[in-house]
Amino acid sequence: MLVSIIFIPIGVASLYASRDVVEIIDRYETDCLPENSRSNKDQKVQYIQGPGNKTCSRTIRVPKHMKKPIYVYYQLDNFYQNHRRYVKSRSDEQLRKNSSASDVDACKPEDNGVNGLPIVPCGLIAWSLFNDTYTFSRNSQKLVVNKKGISWKSDREHKFGKDVYPKNFQNGTLRGGKLLDSSIPLSEQEDLIVWMRTAALPTFRKLYGKIEEDLQPNDVIQVILENNYNTYSFSGKKKLVLSTTSWLGGKNDFLGIAYLTVGGLCFFLAVAFTVVYLVKPRQLGDPSYLSWNRNPGGH
Amino acid sequence: MVRGRIRARLRRSHLYTFSCMRPAPSVTEGPNPVQGAGFSRTVFCNQSLLHKKKPFKYSSNSISTTKYNPLTFFPKALFEQFRRVANLYFLLAALLSLTPVSPFTPVSMIAPLAFVVGLSMAKEALEDWRRFLQDMKINLRKVKVHVGDGVFRYRAWRKVQVGDVIKVEKDQFFPADLLLLSSSYEDGICYVETMNLDGETNLKVKRSLEVTLPLEDDGTFKDFTGKIQCEDPNPNLYTFVGNLEYDRQVYPLDPMQILLRDSKLRNTTYVYGVVVFTGHDSKVMQNSTNSPSKRSRVEQKMDYIIYLLFTLLVVISLVSSIGFAFKTKNDMPDMWYLRPDDDTDDMYNPKKSAVSGLIHLVTALILYGYLIPISLYVSIEVVKVLQASFINKDIHMYDEETGNTANARTSNLNEELGQVDTILSDKTGTLTCNQMDFLKCSIAGISYGTRASEVELAAAKQMAMDLGEQADDFSNFPMHKDKKASEIELETVVTTNNDRRTAIKGFSFEDTRLMNGNWMKEPNNDVLLMFFRVLSVCQTAIPELNEETGTYTYEAESPDEGAFLVAAREFGFEFYKRTQSSVIVREKYNSSGKPVEREYKILNVLDFTSKRKRMSVIVQDEDGQILVFAKGADSIMFERLAKNGRVYEEATTKHLNEYGENGLRTLALVFKKLEESEYSAWNNEFQKAKTSIGADRDVMLEQASDMMEKDFILLGATAVEDKLQSGVPQCIDKLAQAGLKIWVLTGDKMETAINIGYSCSLLRQGMKQICISATNSDALAQESKEAVKENILNQITNGSQMVKLEKDPHAAFALIIDGKTLTYALEDDMKHVFLGLAVDCASVICCRVSPRQKALVTRLVKEGTGRITLAIGDGANDVGMIQEADIGVGISGVEGMQAVMASDFSISQFRFLERLLVVHGHWCYKRIAQMICYFFYKNIAFGLTLFYFEAYTGFSGQSMYDDLYMLSFNVILTSLPVISLGVFEQDVSSEVCLQFPALYQQGAKNLFFDWRRILGWIGNGVYASLIIFFLNILILYHQAFRVGGETADMTVMGTTMFTCIIWVVNSQIALTMSHFTWIQHVLVWSSIGMWYLLLLLYGLASPSYSGNAHKLLIEALAPAPIFWASSLLVTVTCNLPYFAHISYQRCFNPMDHHIIQEIKYYKKDVEDQHMWTRERSKARQETKIGFTARVDAKIRHLRGRLQKKHSSMGGTQNTVPAL
């Protein structure tokens, strides 16, 4: 009973918070392919791996008022960032200190570049960095996407060195994801920092940036995106997500529903037990329930 | 000393007529044939130097009972450790963790294993060290050894060698098996106490060869040499075959000349002997078997659960590896970000997916290893050691007399104590103190002695209580006054006995009519006089003056005899001197008023044997009158009364029955007068029989004594209480109420055993006794073995038939069987029939059993019934039984340490067994059972989340949790609460346990560790793991998990989930516990607190250690409400079914302890005393043995009588019946 009294309000509150969040999702991986490349996987992969301009333009309509900050996420699907081979393929020491640049044992097969020198940042995670880009404009007026502060502060300060610059990165025969500007220290490469926090599930969102402006209902937003990242090989979806947050974070009704369910269940049980107790009370400490009284002649 | 010397010079042969008669000169028999296999041992007497080298080098006299020595300790102990499947698995996992296959770092695998194994081995080492110290204590005992030239020096036992001549002094133990050469007595007799070998306290006589008699002082050994040829070392205590070659003559040796190690020299100043068997060759050591390492049933069952989990582990590992292989083969080539083109690593090679799959199987086996709780063994061990220390420190099991506490010598079996079904008990020293108290007598048809026996006392108390309870039933019953009267009567019995003193050992008689010479004023004082004379003369004891008090004490063959003499002394007939041929008694009260010394010339002694059940002395008093004094079992003696000697028969019989019912040992005392001529005629016969040679000598002697022992005149009877150890009947009663079966296995003779059965309420009047015994020993020799077997089988089947046909539900059967019969009954084809009968009987008494048979019976019960057996004993003769039983309990403090050394638990009094079982056993069982269940629960709840996560990672073997979390899960975060559960949990307090012995049945029935319960817990674990995993996954899906817009990465998800696990398992244990003290509160809640602290500290550590967990708590989780909200939600959801289950159980199907908890909680027991006592009495199991049963039977009997009276009175309701 007590539990249900506590749980139901929590459930209502979190549900309310979740409902408050405005979320816009735009799936674009197929739409951004040219018509003639959409028919099968090989064509898709060929297109994405081929040279040429992959710019794509999307239009998004804002359904409700969105209060700043509005978070811009990219969402990947069927991407196993949690695969053991992937997760282990990094060198925290190397990311942190310039002096540990050659600490690449864990990074195979992205440990040393073609020239035999260690890659900084090494490993599969960094190598496969997401490289689609988005630019937003409202009524042909550019919306600034703030890419600062999208990663954890502690990561920037303690885990990615200010004196560590990308070296030998993506200079192999096989190119993975994004190229890094070798003049910017890793601690300021926030896209990388966010990416290096491997996701727990194969479907995940990562923060791209923040729009520090309110969006009004029925605003139409033009998105110019560069569709570079290959998710076509593994048939992964790509989505662009714009979302506000509440005190509970993003939009997810589950927590509220779960609280309500459990609270309701507790309530039901409490009522059931009370009813049963009223209908067929058992006096506490009633000796007639002792086993030797229930079935005479011993057990 | 002077007196001792005189005694030593007594020609003892006069006293001992049958047993000690020298056999016909040995020359006629010739040497024993001791050639060939099995008879290779040669001992060169007094030439121990010859035994220094082969082929006569025999084992040294130092003994070792340790399991390990410094060299073998490591390999052996390690081997022992890795015999546990789980440990072996973890060893393999630890080895594999050194390869890249492992999902974890090597340290996180090896450290817990090393800790667990190290701790267990340290415990082993400590236990073995204790054993070593004990051995050393024995090895370093000193004994006088002949060092040459007739000089004897003290030497440590371990240095004694075969061939050494040794001088053992009074009350010393023999250091090895010795050949007796001579003793301080002229005829080479010595007295030996073999308590440690067979548990019998009466002294045994050993006799040296005639030829070695002259070797009677130190000097004579200067030139002594001899050669012994004898059998090889063997465990047979009662045989010895060998020859002594001395002075170019060969003499045969038999067991009479062998003094066995660990027996004690008594009543003899010194003996000389040659060492024949040393150390481990000695018979007693050969008899000792290696103490088997015992494991409790709960632990054995635990192994099955571990196997079950292993199966689960293998199954999910297979699922994972197959999934992985498919994923690698089909999907991985497309996952460019994993660089599938790089095929240097077989672990992730899509082209060799089968190989990858196989490698992954190993990985998965290690990954899911958390299903198997590594810390389970070590936690259980820690818990058991703590439980054991509780047992050791229990003040209620502290014996003030000896200063001994209970001692759990191995802590492996604590929970087994709560599941015992059958108790096999030794008698002497365990149930009884082996001390007889003269309590009552019936002389000339009048019963004397007002003190009640223990049985009477307890019965009276119980009846007073029960009658009080039944007051309601009786209130409208015309017998009201009668009830009152009986109550008063009972009360007087109780009160008079409250101030029971034990001023004189062996004498508890109290009756002013006989004391202080008052007997002379009694009407039949001539009969009384004769009675006391028989008491003081008809014996074979030796008086000893206690210099301090000036009184005489007696060294008697049996404690009964001692009690008689003490009684006679107190009545004024003090036996104070025994000469070679006479007994002198000082009669304090005499018609003349002055003490008179009377000398009785002893003409013949007809010994007491268990077959004859009587003893007689033929004496001539100072007036020349020849008298025959005899005492014996009433059944035998009543047959042998003269026609004119039956005056008091009826009254005496009645008294004898009463005494018997009250648990007393009775003997009838008779006498007759003999004419000179009559005697001399008989004596001629007797002497002829005595000197005859050959097989029929015994028969002739028998006939001769039969002729004498008839036409007696009955004087009266004695009743002696075989003093039980304090609290024994009560304890047996409680144990019986707790539903335990009690078997008594004793080396004593049948009558004694039965008597004890009566006095400790294992037997009672009205119980149907099924006595099974081989017809008799003579027949045994003649009839073929088959016939005897047939006979016994018949008896057994008859018995079973009888039990089956019995209709009366209150009828109880007792099975009494003797050792000889048992040899047959224990044979393979018969033992199950025997067991079947024994199980149907309320009590079983086995008498005359050898130590080996004790062990065999124990094994039979253990294996035949499949129940848990507990053996309790105090002497070395119980060692086999103690080791064989599931639990061995040794009684410490009285005699010897062998039983204690072999036991698993030692207590100083039998009565502590009650507390040990009913309180500690009950608790320990519940604790361990709950603890193990919980352990599996928590590890399943944790381990399975790893598996579910695999499905999301393409079965790649990635764990969601940081290595540190995994490492600390079992060790820091969840171990202490479960240990506190194992140590402190108690469902009901100890008083309630004792008041409701029926609660013990919960253990014996294994209610808390049956498969239903175990599977319930496992199911609960699976449920919890599902809830924890999927709720978290859904809550922390892909959206931002906090206001700052960050999404949950693997670390956040893992940590949140882990937090939930910690909350769930710790709240679960809080729900499980019913006994909360501040310790539990602190431990449970601090475990949760510890997790946050750990997380905080880990976050503060440099990122090179903490990796992604750096500053996790402060920065990411703590400010996110969703983190806290999910903990709360998951915790409640996980515990909801368990909560509902226990609520349901409490409401509709409460168990006994629940109700009692409630009664206690609401203080109902205080408010409603009546209900409380009623329930207490109802809680007793329907027992057929014990006091309660005895009292019940008595009440039934009385009620039956009342009913009859009532009906016969018809309508005369208003007349007050006089009763």
Side-chain angles (χ1 to χ4, degrees), chain B residues 126-270:
Chain B
L126 188 72
E127 282 180 359
D128 215 44
W129 176 248
R130 289 215 194 107
R131 258 177 245 134
F132 174 74
L133 289 185
Q134 186 76 29
D135 287 345
M136 279 314 279
K137 217 168 106 193
I138 292 171
N139 285 337
L140 290 177
R141 279 187 195 158
K142 297 265 195 280
V143 68
K144 270 190 179 169
V145 178
H146 183 228
V147 289
D149 294 335
V151 181
F152 281 78
R153 291 233 179 83
Y154 279 109
R155 215 185 254 177
W157 275 27
R158 65 193 165 111
K159 296 211 172 127
V160 170
Q161 280 185 321
V162 173
D164 276 338
V165 172
I166 281 179
K167 182 178 181 181
V168 180
E169 281 154 359
K170 191 174 174 180
D171 291 337
Q172 280 184 344
F173 286 104
F174 300 114
D177 290 355
L178 309 177
L179 169 72
L180 175 62
L181 294 175
S182 61
S183 76
S184 53
Y185 292 113
E186 217 168 54
D187 52 0
I189 279 176
C190 72
Y191 297 88
V192 172
E193 188 191 87
T194 52
M195 181 82 182
N196 279 338
L197 301 175
D198 52 18
E200 291 182 31
T201 44
N202 59 329
L203 306 182
K204 307 237 161 47
V205 180
K206 296 279 178 177
R207 189 180 352 93
S208 71
L209 288 179
E210 209 129 5
V211 290
T212 54
L213 281 183
L215 301 163
E216 58 175 1
D217 65 58
D218 293 4
T220 54
F221 287 97
K222 201 171 162 184
D223 303 316
F224 166 73
T225 54
K227 187 176 155 196
I228 302 168
Q229 284 281 345
C230 67
E231 60 183 11
D232 290 338
N234 64 59
N236 213 330
L237 288 178
Y238 303 110
T239 63
F240 179 79
V241 182
N243 285 329
L244 171 68
E245 206 181 307
Y246 178 59
D247 270 355
R248 283 177 296 282
Q249 279 258 26
V250 180
Y251 304 91
L253 300 173
D254 62 39
M256 251 337 219
Q257 284 96 43
I258 299 299
L259 307 171
L260 298 175
R261 184 184 171 123
D262 277 341
S263 49
K264 204 177 188 180
L265 185 67
R266 297 295 299 272
N267 280 0
T268 313
T269 323
Y270 58 84

Side-chain angles (χ1 to χ4, degrees), chain A residues 20-298:
Chain A
D20 227 20
V21 172
V22 184
E23 195 180 71
I24 305 168
I25 302 170
D26 180 49
R27 179 177 166 184
Y28 64 87
E29 88 281 353
T30 319
D31 294 344
C32 279
L33 289 174
E35 296 284 340
N36 56 1
S37 304
R38 287 184 192 176
S39 55
N40 63 44
K41 201 175 99 178
D42 288 341
Q43 279 180 341
K44 292 180 194 174
V45 175
Q46 210 174 1
Y47 166 78
I48 200 81
Q49 285 180 340
N53 185 12
K54 294 175 187 121
T55 314
C56 169
S57 174
R58 313 277 302 160
T59 315
I60 298 170
R61 182 178 293 274
V62 180
K64 269 200 236 168
H65 176 77
M66 289 174 89
K67 255 180 87 179
K68 67 172 184 182
I70 297 153
Y71 296 95
V72 180
Y73 303 93
Y74 51 89
Q75 178 174 339
L76 296 181
D77 190 83
N78 204 19
F79 189 100
Y80 285 87
Q81 251 208 330
N82 55 15
H83 198 281
R84 186 150 74 103
R85 181 173 164 99
Y86 193 79
V87 172
K88 296 254 185 282
S89 189
R90 66 188 287 164
S91 167
D92 284 338
E93 284 302 297
Q94 189 202 44
L95 296 173
R96 212 156 64 89
K97 285 189 298 225
N98 193 20
S99 53
S100 306
S102 55
D103 189 355
V104 292
D105 289 348
C107 292
K108 272 179 195 160
E110 286 299 322
D111 46 355
N112 290 313
V114 275
N115 50 10
L117 292 172
I119 299 171
V120 180
C122 73
L124 289 172
I125 312 177
W127 177 71
S128 59
L129 179 60
F130 186 71
N131 60 355
D132 286 7
T133 57
Y134 315 104
T135 43
F136 299 88
S137 56
R138 183 173 53 177
N139 307 330
S140 6
Q141 194 184 350
K142 200 175 175 202
L143 281 172
V144 182
V145 176
N146 182 4
K147 304 213 37 146
K148 289 279 170 213
I150 54 172
S151 61
W152 296 108
K153 191 161 157 266
S154 64
D155 278 4
R156 292 194 298 273
E157 287 177 358
H158 302 288
K159 290 176 65 186
F160 291 83
K162 290 186 176 58
D163 57 344
V164 184
Y165 295 90
K167 262 177 270 173
N168 305 319
F169 191 67
Q170 301 282 28
N171 64 358
T173 44
L174 197 63
R175 188 164 152 212
K178 189 179 173 181
L179 282 171
L180 292 175
D181 186 343
S182 57
S183 62
I184 304 173
L186 292 187
S187 61
E188 286 165 37
Q189 309 252 14
E190 293 208 33
D191 278 329
L192 176 75
I193 298 175
V194 170
W195 183 254
M196 294 293 281
R197 284 261 175 189
T198 49
L201 301 172
T203 302
F204 59 89
R205 284 178 193 174
K206 290 211 173 282
L207 202 51
Y208 180 81
K210 294 183 264 188
I211 297 173
E212 315 254 11
E213 259 176 274
D214 281 10
L215 296 179
Q216 303 308 324
N218 297 318
D219 274 359
V220 175
I221 295 169
Q222 284 287 323
V223 186
I224 308 293
L225 58 84
E226 273 186 49
N227 183 17
N228 294 325
Y229 203 68
N230 175 13
T231 57
Y232 303 101
S233 302
F234 50 89
S235 327
K237 296 173 203 148
K238 283 198 271 192
K239 288 173 187 165
L240 172 65
V241 180
L242 296 180
S243 172
T244 59
T245 57
S246 68
W247 57 276
L248 266 181
K251 191 177 185 68
N252 188 353
D253 293 348
F254 181 78
L255 186 69
I257 294 169
Y259 262 103
L260 285 178
T261 316
V262 174
L265 198 65
C266 287
F267 182 75
F268 169 74
L269 280 175
V271 169
F273 274 113
T274 316
V275 166
V276 163
Y277 185 75
L278 289 175
V279 171
K280 194 185 157 196
R282 180 178 79 83
Q283 196 196 351
L284 286 178
D286 182 359
S288 65
Y289 274 88
L290 289 167
S291 60
W292 47 90
N293 288 337
R294 278 196 277 179
N295 30 340

